[in-house]
């Protein structure tokens, strides 16, 4: 489902800011933001797989861990997640485990099938998914990063 509004773009703008921070550090430029049901930003994070020497340090995993710790909860069913790139299977599984209410993402990961949500179904939970938020800017940042690597 495609959806764009100035309100939602505010959160994606912060996720893009975090993605740019990752880019500047040589990390794959992905940023994530968790927002509660009152629209308050709980946490934000950027990819840190290289700097953390941890292949699981994706922006989504980091922001989920930070939010859980900050709120002292084990579920985020009252929160939405904004991320600049469609989550990988590992991050999607974590999103399902913590029961994120809504997932908003910008750029599509062409190697993933958006309609294949089997990783959510295995958890008996599937968040509402809204895609294409600020897709053009999210995609451009990733393309620029990988073009520079080559």
């Amino acid at each position: 489902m495609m959806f764009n509004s100035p309100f939602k773009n505010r959160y994606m703008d912060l996720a893009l800011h975090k993605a740019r921070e990752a880019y500047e550090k040589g990390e794959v430029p992905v940023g994530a933001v968790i927002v509660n049901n009152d629209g308050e930003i709980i946490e934000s994070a950027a990819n840190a797989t290289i700097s953390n020497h941890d292949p699981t340090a994706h922006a989504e995993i980091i922001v989920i861990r930070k939010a859980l710790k900050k709120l002292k909860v084990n579920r985020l069913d009252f929160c939405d997640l904004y991320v600049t790139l469609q989550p990988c299977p590992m991050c999607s599984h974590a999103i399902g485990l913590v029961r994120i209410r809504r997932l908003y993402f910008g750029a599509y990961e062409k190697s993933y099938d958006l309609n294949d949500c089997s990783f959510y179904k295995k958890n008996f939970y599937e968040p509402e998914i809204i895609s294409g938020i600020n897709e053009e800017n999210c995609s451009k940042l990733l393309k620029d990063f990988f073009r520079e690597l080559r």
Side-chain angles (χ1 to χ4, degrees), residues 43-100:
E43 284 291 350
S44 61
N47 266 5
T49 60
I50 296 167
S51 57
N52 285 3
H53 308 286
D54 179 358
T56 68
H58 292 194
E60 302 95 310
I61 299 296
I62 295 169
V63 79
I64 286 170
R65 287 177 179 161
K66 287 169 65 175
L68 292 169
K69 188 172 185 174
K70 180 177 188 175
L71 299 172
K72 296 181 171 84
V73 297
N74 63 353
R75 289 205 174 155
L76 297 170
D77 54 355
F78 54 94
C79 292
D80 298 340
L81 173 63
Y82 292 79
V83 63
T84 56
L85 177 64
Q86 181 179 354
C88 72
M90 174 186 70
C91 294
S92 296
H93 191 75
I95 290 164
L97 288 173
V98 299
R99 307 291 198 261
I100 291 288

